[in-house]
Amino acid sequence: MAANSQFSMAVHVLTVLARHEGEKIKSEKIACSVNTNPVVIRRLLGQLAQAELVESQTGAAGGTQLGRSPDQITLAEVYGAVSCGEVFALHGKPPDRNCPVGRNIEAVLCNLQKQIDRSVAETLSRHTLQSVLEVIEQEKP
Amino acid sequence: MAANSQFSMAVHVLTVLARHEGEKIKSEKIACSVNTNPVVIRRLLGQLAQAELVESQTGAAGGTQLGRSPDQITLAEVYGAVSCGEVFALHGKPPDRNCPVGRNIEAVLCNLQKQIDRSVAETLSRHTLQSVLEVIEQEKP
DNA sequence: CATAACTGTAACAATCTTAGTTACATTTCA
DNA sequence: TGAAATGTAACTAAGATTGTTACAGTTATG
């Protein structure tokens, strides 16, 4: 249980919500589909709510629903809501400033990170929750 | 010490080697620039050697040098040599097969992973070790 | 040929991140 | 008022990565 599967979970969660547009879904029901603990789902929903992708209601008969229609939510937004935006990590300890490479490599890597992030965002922005939902419904065996 | 900084380290290491083409460099010297332990560097060099990006020699007066000239090494190759090729992780536990979403979401995510991987590779293939080296040398303050 | 100086690698400790879990305060409907 | 949900804190468990020590294997060199 180490690798960062938050994006996978987020897409899963949102797809479940998309299949029941208009309804308020309980975290327990979502957790069942994802096969995890309701608290894990609620934590994730918190992040998605901050990005205004979902809206939750407390109290009895509470639950969560999408903040917009599925064709208005791109996977790039989902990724942005749950990821730190770093495909690879920079150096842990700072490199040796006496070495020309050590002195300047971080700027190069930082720049690369931004380029990759843009390219990932562009790829993901070609998919909406609606398009994911269509694949899911269609592939139902 | 958790995030995967292998790619960052690999670019750093290879850039150091590129600055001294033709020479055999000791792992200790590289470690000094990266500010880490020589064993960590040797482990990384092992992966890079498998990808034929570097060549090492054991014994006294041994060391490591590039396997090709810097303009023949793209950062996409470097990334491929040290990364597992997964920007995000799939589900840990398998989702609920009784739910249509749980049943089909993994295929969707797997497909996305491939698309992202291609897009990252394409972005990185626009940079060579040579171009990185040029930035480093030029920005020397 | 012996020694010094490297690399390669195994084994282990330390640290950090993530997921899972329990517990409980808070909110809301009936 | 009480049942049922979310929100959240605190803790445990597991996994991955890095750092470190130790040592075997290799090779130039005196």
Side-chain angles (χ1 to χ4, degrees):
Chain A
M1 309 150 183
N4 180 20
S5 63
Q6 289 207 107
F7 175 69
S8 288
M9 276 205 335
V11 173
H12 189 149
V13 166
L14 291 168
T15 305
V16 170
L17 294 179
R19 277 191 76 234
H20 303 277
E21 249 196 299
E23 298 176 47
K24 276 175 284 188
I25 310 294
K26 293 188 292 183
S27 64
E28 195 185 333
K29 180 170 179 179
I30 303 175
C32 183
S33 172
V34 178
N35 189 16
T36 186
N37 192 294
V39 176
V40 173
I41 297 297
R42 291 204 289 269
R43 275 202 291 248
L44 183 59
L45 286 173
Q47 293 184 266
L48 297 176
Q50 281 203 325
E52 300 188 333
L53 299 177
V54 303
E55 288 168 357
S56 294
Q57 240 184 35
T58 62
T64 305
Q65 53 191 338
L66 291 182
R68 309 173 224 152
S69 71
D71 61 345
Q72 296 295 310
I73 298 180
T74 71
L75 296 193
E77 291 176 278
V78 180
Y79 187 76
V82 300
S83 101
C84 61
E86 300 189 350
V87 171
F88 59 88
L90 277 329
H91 290 65
K93 294 176 172 179
D96 179 19
R97 301 291 169 198
N98 292 6
C99 170
V101 181
R103 213 180 307 137
N104 298 310
I105 194 73
E106 284 177 312
V108 173
L109 291 168
C110 193
N111 184 32
L112 270 178
Q113 243 183 11
K114 284 176 194 157
Q115 286 186 36
I116 291 182
D117 202 47
R118 269 197 298 271
S119 131
V120 168
E122 204 213 317
T123 298
L124 287 177
S125 68
R126 290 199 290 266
H127 300 271
T128 64
L129 214 52
Q130 177 67 36
S131 67
V132 171
L133 185 58
E134 279 163 14
V135 174
I136 296 281
E137 298 282 10
Q138 167 193 333
E139 297 212 348
K140 196 183 299 182
Chain B
M1 309 148 180
N4 181 21
S5 63
Q6 288 209 106
F7 175 70
S8 288
M9 276 205 336
V11 173
H12 189 148
V13 166
L14 291 168
T15 305
V16 170
L17 294 179
R19 277 190 76 236
H20 303 278
E21 249 197 298
E23 298 176 48
K24 275 174 285 189
I25 311 295
K26 292 188 293 184
S27 64
E28 196 185 334
K29 181 169 180 180
I30 304 174
C32 183
S33 173
V34 178
N35 189 15
T36 185
N37 191 294
V39 176
V40 173
I41 297 298
R42 292 204 287 270
R43 275 202 290 247
L44 184 59
L45 287 173
Q47 294 184 265
L48 298 176
Q50 281 203 324
E52 300 190 332
L53 298 177
V54 304
E55 288 168 358
S56 294
Q57 240 185 36
T58 62
T64 304
Q65 54 190 337
L66 291 182
R68 310 173 223 151
S69 71
D71 61 345
Q72 296 295 311
I73 297 179
T74 70
L75 295 194
E77 290 176 278
V78 179
Y79 187 76
V82 300
S83 101
C84 62
E86 301 190 352
V87 170
F88 59 88
L90 278 328
H91 290 65
K93 292 177 175 179
D96 179 18
R97 302 290 168 198
N98 291 5
C99 171
V101 181
R103 214 178 309 137
N104 298 309
I105 194 74
E106 285 178 312
V108 173
L109 292 169
C110 192
N111 184 31
L112 270 177
Q113 244 185 9
K114 284 177 194 158
Q115 287 184 36
I116 291 182
D117 202 49
R118 270 197 297 272
S119 125
V120 168
E122 203 212 318
T123 300
L124 287 177
S125 68
R126 289 199 289 267
H127 299 272
T128 65
L129 214 52
Q130 178 67 35
S131 66
V132 171
L133 186 58
E134 278 162 14
V135 175
I136 297 281
E137 298 282 11
Q138 167 192 334
E139 297 212 348
K140 199 182 296 182

